[in-house]
Structure formats: C-alpha cells, structure tokens
Amino acid sequence: DHVHAYLVAHPEVLLEMQEAYEKKQVSDEAAKVETHIASLRRQIFDDPRDPSIGPKAAKVTVVEFFDYRCPYCKAAAPDYVALIKANPDVRFVFKELPLSIHGPEARAAAAASLASNHDGKYLGVYSSMMADKTVDIDAIYAVLAKAGLDAKKTEVAANDPKISAQIDDVARLATNLGVSGTPGFLVNNHYVAGANMETLTKLI
C-alpha cells in the first residue's frame, strides 16, 4: 500500500493531520458556543452571584469557566491574573465549573472560593487555589487562612445550599452553551477553548 508506505516514511504528516484535526475541533466548538451566546446572555454576563472584577459598564467582558484541579487552568492562571491586573477597564467574570473527573475536592474548592467572595478576597483565593498542586481539603483550608479568612466560618458558608445551586447552575449553563471542558473563555461574543492566552489577549 503506497499510502501506508509513505506515512511510515514521513511520520510528520500524521502529526500535521492530528494538529489540523485538533484545530478543527476547537474551531467547531467555538462556532457552536458562539451560536448560543445571545440567548444565554443574561446567565453568562449578568448573574449577580458570580465573582467579578472590573467596571460593570465595561466595553469588554471576559468570562472564564474553570476548575481548580484542572492542570490546563492551573497552567494558564498566572498569565490570566496578570491579564486581569493589566486591564483595569475590562470586566472579568468567574464561573466555577468543578468537573466530576477531578473528584469531590474540586467542588469543595469551588464552594469555598465562592464563599470567600467578599472584602476583595476572591482573586487572592483564586490565585492561591490555582497555585496549589493538590487542592485537597488541607490545601483549601490553608488557602483560606492565607487569605485572612476564618476557615471554619467559610466552610459553613460554603455548605449553604445557595452556593451548591450556583455551582449547579454554572454546570447547566456550560452544557447549554456547549462548553465541553476547562478552561473556556468568552470575550463578549467570542469563545476561546483552552488555555490560549495569546488569542485571549488579542481579543481583549
């Protein structure tokens, strides 16, 4: 078989095909998500429960769907926090999307983080959660303490059914939008799948 022989002799072609396929998947997901933004705009951009940074009337709003135990989210986090600090005129909205594949600790971290959303504590907690390698229960307590929060009080707040409902609502929104993994970013009417900071920066 000539095709088989050629591919064996030129394995780089397979790599190029794989890269092209992955790019198409990302492009297809973005197109799918973007068709749903208009009908879900209020839930995406205007849920008062979501932590956010930046002016409410900003011309550009960035929304991140993320999971504290997602390695890609962790890899992107330092650059993303730098992006937030470099763009004070942009509004950044945080959507906690703990994935079941990352265990109950992912949801516990999300709940604790949402419970910390007061007195300007949220971004510090977000940064520390992302920087921690394990994000197990001990690490969650350590992050809260580092942020100057009473861990026990925050745990009580995190167990409020309202926070659980908020996490469930984000998961439902992600499904309805077509966001299939983390991280995922919306920049106004555009969607960026994965930790593509270069594209995200250009869109902003």
Side-chain angles (χ1 to χ4, degrees), residues 61-117:
T61 297
V62 180
V63 178
E64 181 191 17
F65 289 87
F66 63 92
D67 178 338
Y68 288 121
R69 302 193 93 198
C70 159
Y72 303 105
C73 299
K74 288 183 172 300
D79 288 337
Y80 189 58
V81 171
L83 201 60
I84 292 170
K85 292 179 177 178
N87 291 275
D89 56 335
V90 173
R91 181 170 177 249
F92 293 86
V93 177
F94 299 83
K95 297 279 192 185
E96 305 266 359
L97 184 63
L99 303 176
S100 58
I101 59 169
H102 292 140
E105 295 89 350
R107 189 176 178 101
S113 186
L114 289 171
S116 75
N117 183 30

Side-chain angles (χ1 to χ4, degrees), residues 2-17:
H2 294 299
V3 173
H4 179 267
Y6 179 82
L7 291 175
V8 169
H10 302 277
E12 69 276 5
V13 173
L14 290 172
L15 182 59
E16 289 173 8
M17 290 170 64

